[in-house]
Amino acid sequence: MNNNTAGSHRRTPSQHQEGVMRKPELAAAIAERADLSKDKASQVLNVILDEITGSVAQGQDVSLIGFGTFTVRERAARTGKNPQTGQPLAIPASKTVAFKPGKGLKDAVGKG
């Protein structure tokens, strides 16, 4: 395990292309922080994302204390407008995923 403190490897958005951290960069950061190979870190990241996806797809909330909670929300059927014609159209009920940030994430963003 790497003996670095949690704050010693924090990156600013300018250190990532266009201010976006993509999956490969996240896996590389995990590899560096956890003293893993990039392949192993990528595998761990994929498993985590698969577990979150599977749980939310089954209607379960996924709560990561200090980070946030993923929940499924129901959208009721409603009437909308076709943007090209202006004609009303029926939008069926659907499900969507919502994310509510936790206190730790909110505090970290507020300091930035």
Side-chain angles (χ1 to χ4, degrees), residues 41-57:
S42 183
Q43 183 181 12
V44 169
L45 179 58
N46 285 331
V47 169
I48 291 168
L49 296 177
D50 288 347
E51 288 299 318
I52 291 170
T53 300
S55 294
V56 173

Side-chain angles (χ1 to χ4, degrees), residues 6-7 18 23 28 40 45-46 55 58 78 87 100 102 110 112:
E18 302 169 15
K23 196 172 175 183
K40 184 54 96 174
L45 179 58
N46 285 331
S55 294
Q58 292 177 11
R78 60 198 188 279
Q87 295 296 314
K100 181 180 177 188

Side-chain angles (χ1 to χ4, degrees), residues 1-108:
M1 187 64 99
N2 198 335
N3 290 330
N4 294 323
T5 61
S8 65
H9 282 59
R10 293 185 194 253
R11 292 178 169 94
T12 61
S14 64
Q15 291 174 298
H16 299 291
Q17 181 183 10
E18 302 169 15
V20 176
M21 178 181 265
R22 293 180 175 84
K23 196 172 175 183
E25 289 93 8
L26 182 55
I30 292 168
E32 185 178 326
R33 297 274 308 273
D35 198 22
L36 297 171
S37 71
K38 285 185 182 181
D39 286 341
K40 184 54 96 174
S42 183
Q43 183 181 12
V44 169
L45 179 58
N46 285 331
V47 169
I48 291 168
L49 296 177
D50 288 347
E51 288 299 318
I52 291 170
T53 300
S55 294
V56 173
Q58 292 177 11
Q60 298 175 329
D61 289 355
V62 176
S63 180
L64 305 171
I65 304 298
F67 181 72
T69 302
F70 297 90
T71 58
V72 176
R73 290 203 180 142
E74 304 276 340
R75 287 188 176 165
R78 60 198 188 279
T79 302
K81 276 189 179 179
N82 181 325
Q84 293 178 338
T85 65
Q87 295 296 314
L89 83 127
I91 301 171
S94 63
K95 293 180 181 181
T96 189
V97 178
F99 177 75
K100 181 180 177 188
K103 183 177 181 340
L105 182 57
K106 286 182 189 177
D107 290 348

